[in-house]
Amino acid sequence: MRRIISRLQEQRGQVMVMFIGIFTVIAVVGLVAVDFGLWFSERRGAQTDADLPALAGARECMLRLASGDPNYGDPEGAADNWFDLNNGGNASLVSVDDDCPCVDVVVKHESKTLFSSFFAPVFDGVAGNIGAHARACAGAANNPGSVVPFEVENVGPCYIAGEPDFGSMCELEGSSHSPNPRGMLDLQAAADYCSAAPGSGSIEDIIENGASGLCLINEGEPCDPNKGGPWYTCVATQTGNGQKVLNGTEARIAREGMCDRNGNGRDDFDEVVTLLVPSSDPSKRVYEPVDCNPSMDGVQVSPRLITVILLDRIPVAGNTGYPIVGFAGFYLEGCGPDDLTDPSQLNNNQKKCHVGNPGQQVVYGTFVSVTVAGSGIGPVDPSTTEFSIALVDWEGGGTPVPTVAPTVAPTVAPTVAPTVAPTVAPTPTPCPCGTKPNGTCKKC
């Protein structure tokens, strides 16, 4: 018994040494974890500081695309200016690569080191390499929301050589002279789909309130003409009812008034949009929708400013699938005779779309190039009149991947902005002579 007690007494010092060693390791790990937490926080901040200048630069690219002027705007200057106004003081702008329709931004953050510096060179240089890369691109608006089912084809009378006829009156739905009289797009579908067969939608309701489905530009995916979709990027047609078309239009226009600043009872064109890019050429003017009621959440767009789906052919009667070419913005003028050419003639009938013979009365509108908030981007078509920007995936090069996630294109850079960022930022491939639009390096 004495021998056992003696042995235990001899091992007391060893247990104490082991305890001190384990406690030291735990303490070191805990202290270093504090620094790693700071570094990851800096990483997220760096991603924000890269994302939003990229979006500011891409917004200039968006206006350049919409105006058709290859020299319009200064994407690099816009990104630089946003960064200068909004960075927290511990960030530096490494590079801005302006290659519209995309803008690449690389930033670096100076990070504090509280404890890991005591263990150099194990963690030497880690804190100094915190940075992020972001790419934002401009393109045609994809999934702009609240689409109205009027017929517009880029081979029809609303277009000249496949491009919108800006400034002229245009029939927004098939008149009595159309190959598909009173035919409409079947946009009655669940929120997950843009269209559906077999044409049971309420034309009046869809015209008045817009469709709720997800409508995306078709990028080469074939449409099944036999009511088979795919109904994200294809739309079906249905035979419309002329009186319901006029009733729905009248109900939509009856909701106007929030943008009526001059008190004439009508949301005039210059009251529902703000001119962003002026030009003597109507096709090069770019607008932004006005928020008719800033006291409410979101942007309250006038019911006279609508979005329609573009098709590449004139639909025939019946439920047939057609690919979505793009989206166009229209200012809804009102209803009138199917041979009307003067917009002023609509003034007396702006809320009387039901008056007259439906077979001889149609809905009119005029094209407008607009920028759309809260929309992803898709391929640009000559008939496109709605444009948007989005952050895109970037893995050190390669082709940008469009996204349909909502984006924010601030006209005035906010002081505090939301973070849209991965925890670990990708490391950009060095391109000493710049990158191409697809993300690959240019030859020197």
Side-chain angles (χ1 to χ4, degrees):
M1 186 68 180
R2 291 180 180 176
R3 290 181 180 178
I4 295 175
I5 295 174
S6 178
R7 284 288 181 89
L8 291 175
Q9 290 175 341
E10 291 174 0
Q11 294 178 6
R12 285 180 180 175
Q14 296 179 19
V15 172
M16 182 63 70
V17 171
M18 291 176 60
F19 174 78
I20 293 173
I22 294 173
F23 179 81
T24 301
V25 171
I26 293 174
V28 169
V29 171
L31 293 175
V32 173
V34 172
D35 275 2
F36 271 97
L38 290 174
W39 297 338
F40 278 114
S41 176
E42 288 291 342
R43 176 79 75 180
R44 289 190 292 270
Q47 192 64 58
T48 300
D49 286 339
D51 287 344
L52 293 167
L55 284 170
R59 184 174 184 275
E60 292 289 294
C61 291
M62 174 178 62
L63 298 179
R64 180 179 294 179
L65 279 175
S67 68
D69 182 354
N71 298 314
Y72 181 84
D74 180 11
E76 183 174 344
D80 287 339
N81 185 56
W82 201 102
F83 183 83
D84 290 342
L85 290 174
N86 293 276
N87 85 81
N90 65 328
S92 58
L93 190 60
V94 176
S95 66
V96 176
D97 187 4
D98 157 24
D99 200 353
C100 282
C102 296
V103 173
D104 293 339
V105 172
V106 179
V107 301
K108 181 180 178 181
H109 266 215
E110 296 297 331
S111 179
K112 297 179 181 179
T113 299
L114 299 180
F115 303 106
S116 58
S117 59
F118 297 120
F119 306 101
V122 177
F123 300 107
D124 188 33
V126 174
N129 291 323
I130 293 176
H133 177 282
R135 165 172 287 174
C137 298
N142 215 357
N143 184 33
S146 192
V147 178
V148 177
F150 291 119
E151 281 186 13
V152 179
E153 307 86 33
N154 61 11
V155 294
C158 295
Y159 291 80
I160 300 175
E163 297 191 6
D165 184 12
F166 289 94
S168 298
M169 292 285 292
C170 178
E171 294 181 3
L172 288 181
E173 53 91 12
S175 69
S176 57
H177 311 300
S178 170
N180 181 20
R182 303 293 171 182
M184 303 296 290
L185 299 180
D186 176 17
L187 301 183
Q188 181 69 27
D192 289 341
Y193 296 94
C194 178
S195 187
S200 59
S202 170
I203 290 296
E204 293 181 64
D205 179 67
I206 298 175
I207 292 176
E208 179 182 357
N209 300 306
S212 60
L214 180 67
C215 300
L216 305 176
I217 296 173
N218 190 305
E219 299 189 47
E221 192 173 21
C223 294
D224 183 351
N226 242 352
K227 306 180 184 178
W231 299 124
Y232 289 107
T233 61
C234 303
V235 288
T237 60
Q238 62 172 297
T239 301
N241 179 297
Q243 190 62 64
K244 290 183 177 180
V245 170
L246 300 179
N247 291 345
T249 304
E250 179 188 5
R252 184 179 186 91
I253 295 176
R255 291 166 31 213
E256 71 179 331
M258 288 192 296
C259 274
D260 180 22
R261 295 188 295 272
N262 60 15
N264 68 350
R266 176 185 172 101
D267 288 352
D268 295 322
F269 181 75
D270 59 358
E271 294 176 322
V272 305
V273 292
T274 300
L275 182 63
L276 298 179
V277 179
S279 174
S280 58
D281 182 353
S283 67
K284 289 181 167 47
R285 297 172 190 159
V286 186
Y287 300 88
E288 184 176 48
V290 167
D291 187 355
C292 297
N293 190 350
S295 65
M296 296 177 62
D297 291 337
V299 178
Q300 314 305 313
V301 179
S302 168
R304 284 191 178 270
L305 199 61
I306 64 174
T307 297
V308 298
I309 292 174
L310 300 175
L311 304 180
D312 62 358
R313 71 200 79 171
I314 298 174
V316 298
N319 291 89
T320 305
Y322 292 89
I324 298 174
V325 173
F327 300 92
F330 270 87
Y331 174 71
L332 191 61
E333 296 281 3
C335 302
D338 60 5
D339 58 354
L340 185 66
T341 57
D342 184 0
S344 65
Q345 297 178 35
L346 291 174
N347 289 342
N348 293 331
N349 282 331
Q350 60 184 0
K351 293 184 179 179
K352 298 179 181 180
C353 290
H354 63 290
V355 174
N357 183 352
Q360 298 298 323
Q361 197 174 45
V362 296
V363 181
Y364 285 94
T366 53
F367 275 107
V368 54
S369 285
V370 292
T371 61
V372 181
S375 174
I377 58 172
V380 176
D381 183 89
S383 56
T384 299
T385 73
E386 289 199 350
F387 299 83
S388 184
I389 62 173
L391 291 168
V392 299
D393 293 337
W394 197 88
E395 299 295 340
T399 303
V401 181
T403 175
V404 295
T407 60
V408 178
T411 302
V412 179
T415 303
V416 180
T419 301
V420 183
T423 302
V424 180
T427 303
T429 300
C431 291
C433 298
T435 57
K436 298 178 182 177
N438 66 359
T440 58
C441 294
K442 294 179 179 178
K443 293 183 179 180
C444 297

